Amino acid sequence: MKIGILTSGGDCPGLNAVIRGVVLKGTMTYDLEFVGIRDGWRGVVDGDFFPLTRHEVKGLSKVGGTILGTSRTNPYEGPRGGAENIAKTLYGHRIDGIIAIGGEGTLAAANRLYNDGINVLGVPKTIDNDLRATDYSFGFDTAVNIATEAMDRLRTTGDSHQRCMVAEVMGRHVGWIALHAGIAAGAHVICIPEVPMSIDQIAEQVSKARDRGRAPLVVVSEGFTLQGMDEAYSDKGLDAFNRPRLGGIGEVLAPEIERITGMETRATVLGHIQRGGSPSAFDRVLATRLGLHAADAVVDGAWGQMVSMQGTDIVRVPFEEALGELNTVPQYRYEEAAALFG
Ligand code: F6P
């Protein structure tokens, strides 16, 4: 069998480790043949493939980014898009199926193609950890580690100047990165999309920390909404899927915190640094295991499913289970952390 592998959507540390896991197990154990698909669904639509052998994946588990490239192309758009055209393109290159490594948008497209008769298998990825049906997605642990390290640094400069430091992290509409990095860094307030707060509530915790002689650290998730805001802050237009590009709420909060508390306040947006560089050891292991199991799933003909982590096991779940609702932070997890605020 000949299988195409693609990475699609925002990149994420661990993508290369999945590719390596799939290719090593697939070629050495099952004698499968692989092609790399360039730039996500764009490469499927354009027939942009190249041979992927053991040689191409050597040493990849520690390498950030993706050797395949990525894009946010919708495979149903454009004159060469759509299931019928894609089926012809795959047939022309003797490709029997696709392993799609991606987040919600990628898996939704994979599900649609599968329902339209294309053999597709999924591997979930996202630093946001917002996918259901998988306990953790690779990339998340690395992002949390990077954010934690950055906040440790913000705290030392905040301490020196007796300033309040606001750190804005990614996560889209879920607060997992903010919650975990905030707990790890000892933040005095954590603001997540699942729990709207007023500026007075935030300022109250800042003042408490200041009154104890601490330089307050506020962690805010990019998707956080202040009470009274209808939707997450966005001033950067729309992405390729017409979703607002988030970011900037930290700069909204900082002057308000300063105004209410009288404490000099600075905001830092961590941004894409959270997605760059080497994956953590946890993410290397998780991504590699997902890749190994994806090769097994190909041989079993488990199309229309994704491999996923449940507990400490890698299992298979239908695409539908991962789609629709987001994996949000449960209230009890936020309440646990709130005991540490102020
Ligand atoms: O989904 C991953 C993510 O990094 C989000 O946390 C963030 O909102 C978005 O992607 C940024 O996307 P882009 O790389 O297109 O700016």
Side-chain angles (χ1 to χ4, degrees):
M1 275 174 109
K2 188 169 164 186
I3 304 298
I5 306 178
L6 65 82
T7 52
S8 169
D11 76 338
C12 163
L15 289 169
N16 284 325
V18 178
I19 298 164
R20 173 176 170 271
V22 174
V23 171
L24 290 188
K25 179 111 193 229
T27 54
M28 308 309 290
T29 306
Y30 298 125
D31 210 19
L32 298 174
E33 190 186 339
F34 291 97
V35 291
I37 302 174
R38 288 196 183 87
D39 304 336
W41 297 115
R42 202 273 307 152
V44 176
V45 170
D46 292 345
D48 194 353
F49 310 124
F50 64 97
L52 203 49
T53 67
R54 185 168 195 179
H55 176 75
E56 278 78 35
V57 301
K58 68 175 186 300
L60 272 192
S61 74
K62 60 180 173 307
V63 180
T66 162
I67 58 159
L68 302 178
T70 186
S71 70
R72 295 198 194 269
T73 304
N74 181 340
Y76 278 85
E77 274 174 10
R80 301 171 67 173
E84 223 171 285
N85 288 334
I86 287 174
K88 279 187 205 148
T89 305
L90 296 178
Y91 183 76
H93 287 82
R94 296 188 304 103
I95 294 173
D96 302 293
I98 294 174
I99 296 176
I101 313 169
E104 225 213 341
T106 307
L107 296 175
N111 188 37
R112 187 166 166 200
L113 287 169
Y114 170 70
N115 288 324
D116 285 344
I118 312 267
N119 289 338
V120 195
L121 192 86
V123 180
K125 71 86 218 179
T126 158
I127 63 162
D128 303 333
N129 203 37
D130 61 353
L131 279 170
R132 288 193 315 154
T134 184
D135 287 349
Y136 283 102
S137 49
F138 68 87
F140 170 66
D141 182 69
T142 308
V144 167
N145 278 300
I146 294 168
T148 302
E149 208 228 302
M151 285 186 230
D152 289 346
R153 290 173 189 276
L154 290 177
R155 289 197 71 167
T156 63
T157 169
D159 277 334
S160 307
H161 290 266
Q162 268 303 297
R163 285 175 176 155
C164 170
M165 305 303 281
V166 177
E168 180 185 305
V169 297
M170 283 186 165
R172 288 204 67 76
H173 297 292
V174 303
W176 287 109
I177 298 177
L179 183 78
H180 280 223
I183 294 173
H188 299 100
V189 197
I190 301 173
C191 306
I192 63 173
E194 292 85 344
V195 185
M197 293 169 85
S198 69
I199 191 68
D200 288 327
Q201 285 171 315
I202 297 169
E204 190 188 332
Q205 302 297 350
V206 167
S207 300
K208 273 194 205 160
R210 189 252 332 262
D211 295 347
R212 288 189 301 110
R214 308 305 307 275
L217 173 67
V218 178
V219 182
V220 58
S221 182
E222 61 180 2
F224 170 73
T225 53
L226 267 178
Q227 265 171 18
M229 279 169 66
D230 289 339
E231 51 195 25
Y233 184 83
S234 165
D235 62 3
K236 298 181 180 64
L238 303 176
D239 69 13
F241 288 97
N242 283 329
R243 304 175 310 178
R245 291 174 60 214
L246 302 183
I249 183 70
E251 290 289 359
V252 174
L253 296 187
E256 286 299 297
I257 292 171
E258 185 164 317
R259 181 181 61 80
I260 297 172
T261 63
M263 188 169 202
E264 199 178 352
T265 303
R266 295 280 196 274
T268 302
V269 181
L270 302 187
H272 290 82
I273 286 174
Q274 294 159 98
R275 279 194 354 216
S278 267
S280 65
F282 179 91
D283 280 339
R284 292 181 203 187
V285 174
L286 174 57
T288 302
R289 290 184 72 204
L290 289 169
L292 298 173
H293 283 260
D296 296 338
V298 165
V299 173
D300 292 344
W303 308 111
Q305 302 183 58
M306 68 172 202
V307 287
S308 106
M309 185 193 199
Q310 291 188 1
T312 54
D313 294 333
I314 306 296
V315 300
R316 296 173 194 168
V317 292
F319 284 136
E320 278 91 3
E321 276 186 35
L323 301 172
E325 281 171 44
L326 293 177
N327 173 34
T328 51
V329 174
Q331 184 71 20
Y332 80 91
R333 285 295 313 274
Y334 184 77
E335 279 163 13
E336 267 173 17
L340 307 167
F341 291 178

